[in-house]
Amino acid sequence: MITSIHGTLEATGIDYALIRVGGFGIRVFVPSSTQQRLKEPGMEVSLATHFHMREDGISLYGFLTDADRDAFEQLIGVSGVGPRVALAILSVMDASAFYQAIADEDQQRLGLAKGVGKKLAAHLILELKGKLPSLAALTGNGATPAAGNIKAEALEALMGLGYTNAEAQAALAKLPQDRPMSLEEQVTFALRSFSR
């Protein structure tokens, strides 16, 4: 099984990156959250990967983190969820946000992903609740990233949901400053501010 890829970015498409490894150009399907970080052809990239084989073809899926790859594998293990839907979910939220949405039984948040309606969101919660790693395990015994990194990730998450940079910045500017907030809390707060 191919669990990672390291090479030179040659190009990106709507849902893939073309990575040169040795003498080969390898197409790696990626969520938009990963694709947004792959900016310049010629840059060195390292992705955690999932090698997917079906009767009609072989595909390689790539992610910025092992956690996102693990979330992808959890998703495609659910009946009725294929790689395309799994990528759509991980395009609008990272692994920790996905695990939190399942833990909170947040069908609305899951429904932000293209192709995920109420029925599928409910099915995902039913199948995965209690089977996913805790957020503390995901962040390394509860350690939290630096606040600046979290805010940058929140901005990316909101832009991945279709908000402009200006809209996302304005929503994040309204965050309470009296306490630290996790990535999930920042994104949730910002989304609520849009609906007011």
Side-chain angles (χ1 to χ4, degrees):
M1 178 186 290
I2 301 170
T3 59
S4 65
I5 187 169
H6 179 84
T8 304
L9 180 67
E10 289 204 325
T12 56
I14 294 173
D15 61 352
Y16 69 89
L18 186 61
I19 301 173
R20 173 131 329 253
V21 180
F24 298 94
I26 300 172
R27 180 180 291 200
V28 183
F29 293 97
V30 295
S32 64
S33 55
T34 295
Q35 187 187 43
Q36 288 168 7
R37 301 256 183 118
L38 305 177
K39 299 182 178 175
E40 296 292 328
M43 71 183 283
E44 291 293 307
V45 295
S46 292
L47 299 175
T49 58
H50 172 82
F51 182 74
H52 194 72
M53 189 169 3
R54 298 184 310 194
E55 291 177 9
D56 60 345
I58 297 171
S59 302
L60 193 64
Y61 295 88
F63 308 89
L64 288 174
T65 66
D66 290 344
D68 285 350
R69 178 195 52 212
D70 295 345
F72 176 84
E73 290 173 347
Q74 290 276 359
L75 278 161
I76 62 173
V78 174
S79 64
V81 178
R84 192 173 298 259
V85 169
L87 279 186
I89 291 170
L90 292 171
S91 288
V92 297
M93 63 186 83
D94 65 7
S96 60
F98 167 64
Y99 294 159
Q100 189 66 56
I102 295 294
D104 294 343
E105 300 186 20
D106 192 343
Q107 292 185 28
Q108 184 176 6
R109 191 169 189 189
L110 292 168
L112 293 172
K114 185 176 179 181
V116 179
K118 287 184 178 180
K119 188 174 180 181
L120 181 54
H123 180 61
L124 286 169
I125 292 165
L126 179 67
E127 290 289 320
L128 295 175
K129 183 138 174 124
K131 297 178 184 174
L132 300 175
S134 69
L135 292 178
L138 198 61
T139 58
N141 298 323
T144 55
N149 292 343
I150 293 175
K151 197 158 190 178
E153 288 180 28
L155 180 66
E156 280 192 39
L158 292 169
M159 290 173 65
L161 293 172
Y163 296 102
T164 66
N165 188 300
E167 290 170 333
Q169 292 272 14
L172 292 173
K174 298 174 187 173
L175 293 174
Q177 302 300 316
D178 58 343
R179 65 181 180 89
M181 297 177 77
S182 69
L183 172 63
E184 297 76 31
E185 289 173 323
Q186 289 191 22
V187 172
T188 302
F189 184 93
L191 289 172
R192 286 185 183 142
S193 78
F194 289 127
S195 63
R196 287 180 192 139

